Amino acid sequence: MRRWSTGSADSPWDGGRRAGGDAEAAAAEIAELARHAAESAALAPVGPDAAADKEPPVEDLIVTTAGAYHLLRFVRTPFDSTVLLHLWLDRDDGNLALARIRLAELADRLVLG
């Protein structure tokens, strides 16, 4: 779990450990990617209530590489909505559809605040 606005890790578990062994650098890069997606005008919510909406602007972000899937889930919070879950899945063994469902369920059960 990390803050997408800063990249700071909020959990000792870090799916970015495989990125050259530098967990903090991986966290910062993932957070930067998430921040760009969240602030993208192309992905911004539309409609009359979009500006007042307290929900994260993006639900999930899926990045695929040659050997892995990276699933990023934006988490609703009662405060500033900058919490992000990052799940790294091995491409050969992981089930992306099931992981997305389970990560959404986990995010809904988190108690933050």
Side-chain angles (χ1 to χ4, degrees):
M1 182 169 40
R2 63 188 82 256
R3 295 194 180 279
W4 62 264
S5 59
T6 64
S8 64
D10 291 336
S11 171
W13 179 85
D14 188 359
R17 280 183 283 202
R18 295 181 182 263
D22 188 351
E24 287 303 314
E29 289 177 13
I30 292 295
E32 186 69 12
L33 176 65
R35 187 182 63 76
H36 281 292
E39 294 175 355
S40 170
L43 301 175
V46 294
D49 298 328
D53 194 4
K54 297 292 185 189
E55 298 293 315
V58 177
E59 283 185 358
D60 297 315
L61 203 61
I62 300 170
V63 177
T64 60
T65 63
Y69 298 115
H70 294 268
L71 178 57
L72 310 177
R73 178 73 181 188
F74 292 78
V75 180
R76 291 183 303 273
T77 64
F79 44 96
D80 62 4
S81 295
T82 64
V83 176
L84 173 77
L85 297 175
H86 173 206
L87 178 65
W88 177 90
L89 290 168
D90 182 79
R91 197 167 182 151
D92 292 332
D93 299 325
N95 180 329
L96 184 57
L98 183 59
R100 185 172 180 263
I101 291 167
R102 295 278 171 91
L103 196 59
E105 291 170 353
L106 175 68
D108 289 341
R109 289 194 317 254
L110 281 176
V111 177
L112 301 170

